[in-house]
Amino acid sequence: MYSKKVLKYFFHPKNVGIIKNPTVKVTEGSLACGDMVTLYLKIDKVSRKIVDIKFKSYGCAANIATMSFLTELVKGKTIESVEKLTYKMLEKELGGLPPAKTHCSLLAIKSLKSAIRLYKEKMGEIEYESIDKDFVMSRLRSVIHPAIGKDIVSSGLVAMANISDGKVNIKIRIKEKRFRRIVLEEIKERFCIPQIKKISVEFVDKDEKAKDKD
Amino acid sequence: MKKRFIYLDNASVTKVDSRVLRAMNIYHTKYYSVPTVEYGHSFGLKSRKALEQAREAIAESINANKDEIIFTSGQTESNNLAIKGFVAMNNTARVITTKIEHESILNVCKDYGNVAYLDVDREGFIKFNSLKRLQEEGAILSIQHANHEIGTVQNIKRIGRFCRKAGITFHVDATQTFMKLDIDVERMNIDLLTISPHLIHGPRGIGALYIRKGVKIKAILSGGYNEFGIRPGLENIPAIVGFRKAVEIFDKKDVSRMFKLRDRLMKNLLEIDNTKLNGPLGKDRLCNNVNISFRYVEGESMLLHLDLRGIIVTTGSSCFSTALKPSHVILGIGGRHEDAHSSVRFSLSKYNDVEDIDYTIKNVNEVVSELRKISM
Ligand SMILES: Cc1ncc(COP(=O)(O)O)c(C=O)c1O
């Protein structure tokens, strides 16, 4: 049985929706794993406060409730003050979660952390030794194919990836329009950092003939 | 509006009919003896008589002989007894089954090891060609009459005829169809049949295995000489009496009523955007089963929202399973993880009426659009 508080946040979730021009946006989880969330943040550069936060969730009750609770918890706070949040703290505040649902609180925290990291990258606060192919591949490793539930690199969907002069070219093997859209958005987010000037993604069917260009 | 209570999980267990309860009660409080042998005390003979009359009535319902019915503790035990009891007598026999059976078959097969899996199509029907390919004399074939999640009704008669010719022992798990569909072990060439009363408003914790005379099955429990030595343990007379009563009061008219309600529910829910029926349409689908995937809606979230509105259903989402695994049935018919994730099963009983169905349609519509606001 879920706690009263979990049910309250599930049945009446707060901060559901999207932010039009977010400072950062991340998608974590996948349909194959059962839960997929997207987090939108508006962060004030000067105060470093999360001035607005919204989420979308295609997941179970615990997933919706933890996302909803998390967004309420961090709204108005500085990114430094919320970075220390852990899934255990989240669960405790919610009056506990069934052990089988720990992955939901983990996913909520993961989405927040990766949004904050992405923000810092965008602001040039994180230094990278070199922006090379390894770098590109490691970034792509955090882009999940929603139906497979694994990242596009280990699923063997990256047909080509190269970088020159800060310009990244990627070729991805995905057929369905719906998944192309999700993956494209996710890639653009992940490469939206100052060291990268241009990113272009090309989708191909399995036979590698170029179809959609972006 | 007054909150209703609409139970649509009748493929898991059903409400016990009060006539069944009354019949059972007498054997809890008045004739509670162990069933003695024919020359035992008079008190025990009351139980013995109830046991044998029930055996006879149940045998008759599937056109079997009374000494071919073995009472067990339920569907899981009957399935275990059929497979384990058979391979204990023929330990090189191949077991043939499908990947969309209930766990009580799948896990027995996995433990045994010598298993071949038939192909099923996108609606869950067995591909007959794969049976021809995988057949082997002396094997045992075990399949469901109708699938517990998606309601696909197999062509038992055709498969039975094939098995008989090929020298294959044929086990059918009829948990979902017992009494709802005609079952004739002779006409269908069934050798072993799992049945139970818990889905026809009888008690739970009781089931039976029909074992055709001549088919050798070894007991899987050790104990006394009850049930012809095949199933030791004190006979559960009250439940057995309830089993018989549930069979006797079963009314075929309820089946045609359920068909109509099922189609009303199915048709209206499929009018919602981005939905997909799991399993077939028409006569080859179980009379009380509706299983639909609502894309962009996770099953557990749907289930809890419907619960709040008084509607009880279940889902194939991994988030709702204790094993955190998506429905093996939906994956087994070639569905995506997402289809399992967003699947909801509505299973009807004779106690449902048109108002229940219309209330459900209205509420599912509302919940789907509410949850899609969160996900899309
Ligand atoms: C077709 C079928 N076989 C076997 C079983 C096993 O039932 P139980 O776990 O109640 O023993 C079920 C239960 O739903 C079933 O639907």
Side-chain angles (χ1 to χ4, degrees), chain A residues 34 56 58-59 101 176, chain B residues 296 300 319 336 341 373 376:
Chain A
K56 286 271 171 181
Y58 186 175
K101 296 289 183 177
E176 298 89 335
Chain B
Y296 309 119
E300 187 202 71
C319 302
R336 290 170 179 276
H341 191 59
K373 272 188 216 139
M376 292 173 73

Side-chain angles (χ1 to χ4, degrees), chain A:
Chain A
M1 185 59 186
Y2 285 120
S3 73
K4 274 215 175 83
K5 199 160 174 185
V6 169
L7 289 176
K8 190 185 105 189
Y9 279 96
F10 166 60
F11 284 123
H12 310 286
K14 304 279 161 47
N15 303 317
V16 172
I18 61 172
I19 295 176
K20 271 261 164 67
N21 292 301
T23 323
V24 273
K25 167 185 173 242
V26 290
T27 298
E28 293 286 348
S30 74
L31 298 181
C33 310
D35 298 297
M36 190 164 84
V37 299
T38 305
L39 200 54
Y40 302 81
L41 283 85
K42 197 109 196 164
I43 298 169
D44 181 65
K45 263 189 215 162
V46 181
S47 66
R48 298 178 75 78
K49 276 186 180 158
I50 299 170
V51 290
D52 197 10
I53 181 163
K54 292 251 190 295
F55 78 97
K56 286 271 171 181
S57 155
Y58 186 175
C60 68
N63 174 261
I64 293 174
T66 48
M67 287 305 288
S68 151
F69 180 67
L70 176 83
T71 53
E72 200 183 64
L73 198 67
V74 304
K75 196 167 168 176
K77 302 224 172 95
T78 63
I79 53 176
E80 277 69 28
S81 70
V82 301
E83 260 178 326
K84 293 176 209 81
L85 271 179
T86 66
Y87 77 98
K88 285 209 171 116
M89 288 152 83
L90 206 58
E91 287 191 4
K92 195 160 162 247
E93 289 279 327
L94 273 168
L97 273 185
K101 296 289 183 177
T102 301
H103 67 276
C104 296
S105 51
L106 282 168
L107 183 63
I109 291 293
K110 189 175 171 197
S111 65
L112 177 70
K113 296 222 155 133
S114 98
I116 292 176
R117 186 178 169 85
L118 196 56
Y119 173 74
K120 291 183 174 171
E121 286 170 353
K122 277 188 175 184
M123 295 295 126
E125 293 172 20
I126 295 176
E127 287 291 320
Y128 292 102
E129 305 223 321
S130 62
I131 306 285
D132 54 11
K133 181 162 181 195
D134 284 350
F135 176 84
V136 171
M137 292 308 270
S138 79
R139 298 251 107 185
L140 291 176
R141 231 169 241 135
S142 58
V143 176
I144 311 271
H145 186 295
I148 302 172
K150 282 201 302 192
D151 68 89
I152 55 176
V153 177
S154 63
S155 315
L157 300 176
V158 180
M160 182 202 82
N162 61 36
I163 176 158
S164 64
D165 288 343
K167 286 187 195 132
V168 180
N169 266 302
I170 305 167
K171 204 192 264 187
I172 310 259
R173 288 190 208 99
I174 291 178
K175 204 165 159 209
E176 298 89 335
K177 279 245 159 60
R178 188 159 70 101
F179 299 133
R180 282 183 176 183
R181 207 183 57 233
I182 295 174
V183 166
L184 176 67
E185 277 183 29
E186 192 60 12
I187 292 175
K188 285 195 165 164
E189 266 307 310
R190 299 283 171 178
F191 285 92
C192 187
I193 55 177
Q195 292 89 338
I196 288 175
K197 295 191 192 76
K198 191 170 182 297
I199 165 104
S200 66
V201 181
E202 192 181 339
F203 285 102
V204 294
D205 284 349
K206 285 217 178 72
D207 58 15
E208 287 207 28
K209 248 187 254 148
K211 280 272 164 73
D212 285 9
K213 253 201 161 168
D214 255 293

Side-chain angles (χ1 to χ4, degrees), chain B residues 11-12 74-76 79 102 104 144 146 148 173 175-176 198-199:
Chain B
S12 293
Q75 327 57 268
T76 289
N79 283 347
H102 187 267
S104 55
Q144 288 166 321
H148 54 301
D173 175 358
T175 303
Q176 293 290 338
H198 77 302
L199 301 184

